[in-house]
């Protein structure tokens, strides 16, 4: 009997707002413990929450980016449970009337395109953070009340790698939309993994096992690579799988039971009485819709078809948005966008990385890259010399044609001058000359290199090659 896995992911992302969800405290990572707190986010009696409108906008924007539906009526609910990092003893969330319903994430997977449908995206609040020291524990409430968006997928993911690709695609969309920075290091994205297995092609879903609170995507992949075979093995041995929550032990590389279905919480959801329901007005939605951006995958596909870029270059421009914008500023005016992409990715990016500078700090005009390409195209300088011109231009901000003039770097196409250099090279390297005559064609490249060296890179390399060949015959 063969089995297949079914996976659904619940992804929590912290929204990129200035303040928290229900109060004016800063939504800020890394502040001293309990410095961004007030009576509201500390859950003191008698306080009232006020919804953060930007968080509502970002939630709606997420719905639009995922091509979901923004229901005309949404509300907040109380999810009741006791935990020391949640001082109200309930979390405000959206239970049956979320702010965004449906939609999908499309992404590249296993060499093709995959699509995972989204059940809903609902807005809630983050909790504080428990710290356990040697002899005591403490709670930092800075994170309590930070707006949190939970994006729930349909159970349509079929493997560990697909889950990994889905998560990466989802956070890339959220970053593009300015919804969240999705900084994993800061814990801005966490994920609950629901996974079951069933006999291949079966209609009914298997018993769901939930692995809670994963904070790295590679961890999710590793956990699934372990958990799926574990479940299959249990079924193959005839043993029952029961619905439970498990914990992933990354160091140990295994999952272990946290709680079974019998111990599941009864959250006693009820409508949050301190907050009004939401009925987004068309004008408000329209305003949010103005913030919709091109999705990363669409951008990659467009860069490939419009400018004939290879997938890897297009992907580089998707990941590095500033670099992509730089390219798109130049590309429409370039005769050879692929070559422009090469200059930007291979030369400019390397120089930026080496110097630690940002694109905004560049002291040469972007158009100079086109000018430089033109100098190579019209054979005024060689490709090798172009590297030197680029380096100079990066340093000084000077225009390429002025640099070439000032430095006397223009390509020499004077046959007599090159011929003299060829004679010099041939005389100095009798070994390679003999090799060439004995049939080693590669020796010509060596000799050509010598001519280029003698000319300090200025000789027209094609002409040098031709002259050498003639002389060697
Ligand atoms: P809960 O109420 O326990 O959180 P939901 O039905 O809301 O459960 O589903 C939560 C997540 O689990 C969703 O992402 C959903 O796609 C996924 N899911 C539900 N049933 C299964 C199953 N049998 N196998 C794998 N994933 C599942
Ligand atoms: Mg769940
Ligand atoms: Zn507060």
């Amino acid at each position: 009997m063969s089995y297949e896995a079914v996976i659904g992911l619940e992804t929590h992302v912290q929204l990129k707002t200035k303040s928290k969800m229900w109060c004016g405290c800063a939504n800020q990572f890394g502040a001293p413990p309990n410095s961004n707190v007030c009576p509201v986010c500390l859950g003191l009696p008698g306080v009232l929450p006020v919804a953060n409108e930007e968080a509502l906008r970002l939630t709606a924007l997420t719905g639009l980016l995922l091509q979901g539906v923004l229901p005309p009526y949404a509300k907040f609910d109380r999810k009741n449970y006791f935990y020391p990092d949640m001082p109200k003893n309930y979390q405000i969330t959206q239970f049956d009337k979320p702010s965004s319903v449906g939609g999908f994430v499309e992404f590249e997977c296993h060499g093709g395109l995959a699509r995972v449908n989204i059940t809903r995206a609902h807005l809630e609040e983050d909790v504080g953070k428990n710290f356990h020291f040697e002899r005591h524990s403490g709670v930092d409430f800075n994170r309590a009340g930070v707006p949190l968006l939970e994006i729930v997928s349909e159970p349509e993911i079929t493997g560990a790698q697909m889950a990994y690709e889905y998560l990466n695609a989802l956070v890339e969309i959220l970053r593009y939309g300015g919804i969240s920075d999705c900084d994993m290091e800061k814990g801005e994205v966490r994920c609950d993994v629901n996974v079951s297995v069933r006999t291949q092609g079966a209609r009914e879903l298997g018993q769901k096992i939930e692995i809670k609170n994963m904070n790295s995507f590679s961890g999710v992949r590793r956990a699934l690579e372990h958990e799926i075979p574990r479940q299959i093995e249990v079924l193959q041995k005839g043993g029952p799988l029961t619905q439970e929550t498990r914990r992933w032990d990354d160091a140990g590389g295994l999952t272990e039971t946290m709680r079974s279905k019998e111990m599941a919480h009864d959250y006693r959801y009820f409508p949050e009485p301190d907050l009004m329901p939401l009925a987004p007005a068309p004008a408000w939605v329209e305003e949010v819709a103005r913030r919709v951006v091109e999705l990363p995958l669409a951008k990659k596909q467009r860069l490939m078809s419009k400018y004939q870029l290879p997938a890897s270059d297009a992907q580089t421009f998707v990941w590095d948005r500033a670099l992509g914008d730089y390219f798109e500023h130049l590309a429409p005016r370039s005769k050879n966008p692929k070559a422009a992409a090469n200059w930007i990715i291979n030369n400019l990016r390397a120089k930026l990385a080496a110097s630690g500078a940002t694109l905004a700090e560049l002291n040469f005009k972007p158009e100079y890259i086109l000018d430089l390409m033109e100098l190579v195209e019209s054979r005024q300088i060689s490709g090798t010399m172009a590297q030197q011109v680029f380096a100079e231009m990066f340093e000084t901000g000077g225009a390429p044609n002025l640099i070439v003039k000032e430095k006397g770097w223009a390509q020499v196409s004077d046959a007599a001058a090159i011929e003299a250099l060829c004679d010099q090279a041939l005389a100095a390297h009798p070994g390679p000359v003999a090799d060439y005559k004995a049939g080693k064609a590669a020796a010509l490249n060596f000799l050509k290199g010598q001519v280029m060296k003698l000319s300090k890179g200025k000789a027209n390399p094609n002409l040098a090659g031709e002259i050498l060949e003639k002389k060697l015959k």
Side-chain angles (χ1 to χ4, degrees), residues 10 79 150 192 194 208 210 212:
E10 296 163 277
K79 180 180 182 180
E150 175 169 342
D192 296 340
N194 302 270
K208 176 181 92 170
E210 182 167 11
K212 278 249 180 241

PDB file of all heavy atoms in Angstrom, residues 10 79 150 192 194 208 210 212, ligand 2:
ATOM      1  N   GLU A  10      -0.716  26.923   9.002  1.00  0.00           N
ATOM      2  CA  GLU A  10      -1.243  28.144   9.616  1.00  0.00           C
ATOM      3  C   GLU A  10      -0.034  29.039   9.887  1.00  0.00           C
ATOM      4  O   GLU A  10       0.791  28.721  10.744  1.00  0.00           O
ATOM      5  CB  GLU A  10      -1.968  27.805  10.915  1.00  0.00           C
ATOM      6  CG  GLU A  10      -3.200  26.927  10.708  1.00  0.00           C
ATOM      7  CD  GLU A  10      -3.660  26.277  12.007  1.00  0.00           C
ATOM      8  OE1 GLU A  10      -3.103  25.238  12.388  1.00  0.00           O
ATOM      9  OE2 GLU A  10      -4.567  26.818  12.640  1.00  0.00           O
ATOM     10  N   LYS A  79     -10.799  34.472  22.468  1.00  0.00           N
ATOM     11  CA  LYS A  79     -10.384  33.071  22.556  1.00  0.00           C
ATOM     12  C   LYS A  79      -9.790  32.913  23.961  1.00  0.00           C
ATOM     13  O   LYS A  79      -8.749  33.491  24.274  1.00  0.00           O
ATOM     14  CB  LYS A  79      -9.325  32.804  21.476  1.00  0.00           C
ATOM     15  CG  LYS A  79      -8.792  31.401  21.425  1.00  0.00           C
ATOM     16  CD  LYS A  79      -7.741  31.300  20.303  1.00  0.00           C
ATOM     17  CE  LYS A  79      -7.213  29.896  20.178  1.00  0.00           C
ATOM     18  NZ  LYS A  79      -6.207  29.778  19.101  1.00  0.00           N
ATOM     19  N   GLU A 150      -2.952  35.769  10.836  1.00  0.00           N
ATOM     20  CA  GLU A 150      -2.831  34.325  10.654  1.00  0.00           C
ATOM     21  C   GLU A 150      -3.393  33.955   9.287  1.00  0.00           C
ATOM     22  O   GLU A 150      -4.550  34.209   8.979  1.00  0.00           O
ATOM     23  CB  GLU A 150      -3.577  33.566  11.757  1.00  0.00           C
ATOM     24  CG  GLU A 150      -3.545  32.062  11.495  1.00  0.00           C
ATOM     25  CD  GLU A 150      -4.032  31.206  12.657  1.00  0.00           C
ATOM     26  OE1 GLU A 150      -4.092  31.707  13.796  1.00  0.00           O
ATOM     27  OE2 GLU A 150      -4.353  30.032  12.411  1.00  0.00           O
ATOM     28  N   ASP A 192       2.269  26.924  12.291  1.00  0.00           N
ATOM     29  CA  ASP A 192       1.770  25.646  12.810  1.00  0.00           C
ATOM     30  C   ASP A 192       1.584  24.722  11.615  1.00  0.00           C
ATOM     31  O   ASP A 192       0.965  25.097  10.620  1.00  0.00           O
ATOM     32  CB  ASP A 192       0.421  25.818  13.518  1.00  0.00           C
ATOM     33  CG  ASP A 192       0.530  26.693  14.761  1.00  0.00           C
ATOM     34  OD1 ASP A 192       1.649  26.851  15.286  1.00  0.00           O
ATOM     35  OD2 ASP A 192      -0.505  27.223  15.203  1.00  0.00           O
ATOM     36  N   ASN A 194       0.113  21.332  10.047  1.00  0.00           N
ATOM     37  CA  ASN A 194      -0.873  20.253  10.196  1.00  0.00           C
ATOM     38  C   ASN A 194      -0.595  19.212   9.131  1.00  0.00           C
ATOM     39  O   ASN A 194      -0.525  19.544   7.945  1.00  0.00           O
ATOM     40  CB  ASN A 194      -2.295  20.791  10.003  1.00  0.00           C
ATOM     41  CG  ASN A 194      -2.614  21.893  10.996  1.00  0.00           C
ATOM     42  OD1 ASN A 194      -3.095  21.646  12.078  1.00  0.00           O
ATOM     43  ND2 ASN A 194      -2.306  23.131  10.615  1.00  0.00           N
ATOM     44  N   LYS A 208      -5.319  14.248  11.567  1.00  0.00           N
ATOM     45  CA  LYS A 208      -4.415  15.404  11.514  1.00  0.00           C
ATOM     46  C   LYS A 208      -3.515  15.468  12.753  1.00  0.00           C
ATOM     47  O   LYS A 208      -3.986  15.340  13.881  1.00  0.00           O
ATOM     48  CB  LYS A 208      -5.282  16.657  11.439  1.00  0.00           C
ATOM     49  CG  LYS A 208      -4.538  17.954  11.461  1.00  0.00           C
ATOM     50  CD  LYS A 208      -5.499  19.116  11.416  1.00  0.00           C
ATOM     51  CE  LYS A 208      -5.874  19.578  12.821  1.00  0.00           C
ATOM     52  NZ  LYS A 208      -6.613  20.832  12.830  1.00  0.00           N
ATOM     53  N   GLU A 210      -0.759  18.052  14.514  1.00  0.00           N
ATOM     54  CA  GLU A 210      -0.327  19.447  14.417  1.00  0.00           C
ATOM     55  C   GLU A 210       1.005  19.629  15.123  1.00  0.00           C
ATOM     56  O   GLU A 210       1.161  19.227  16.268  1.00  0.00           O
ATOM     57  CB  GLU A 210      -1.393  20.358  15.041  1.00  0.00           C
ATOM     58  CG  GLU A 210      -1.031  21.825  14.945  1.00  0.00           C
ATOM     59  CD  GLU A 210      -2.201  22.766  15.256  1.00  0.00           C
ATOM     60  OE1 GLU A 210      -3.235  22.267  15.752  1.00  0.00           O
ATOM     61  OE2 GLU A 210      -2.054  23.969  15.009  1.00  0.00           O
ATOM     62  N   LYS A 212       3.280  22.467  16.464  1.00  0.00           N
ATOM     63  CA  LYS A 212       3.057  23.872  16.812  1.00  0.00           C
ATOM     64  C   LYS A 212       4.327  24.706  16.790  1.00  0.00           C
ATOM     65  O   LYS A 212       5.417  24.216  17.071  1.00  0.00           O
ATOM     66  CB  LYS A 212       2.496  23.930  18.242  1.00  0.00           C
ATOM     67  CG  LYS A 212       0.998  23.668  18.297  1.00  0.00           C
ATOM     68  CD  LYS A 212       0.272  24.958  18.672  1.00  0.00           C
ATOM     69  CE  LYS A 212      -1.221  24.765  18.732  1.00  0.00           C
ATOM     70  NZ  LYS A 212      -1.925  25.607  17.768  1.00  0.00           N
TER      71      LYS A 212
HETATM   72 MG1  LIG B   2      -4.829  25.025  14.513  1.00  0.00          MG
END
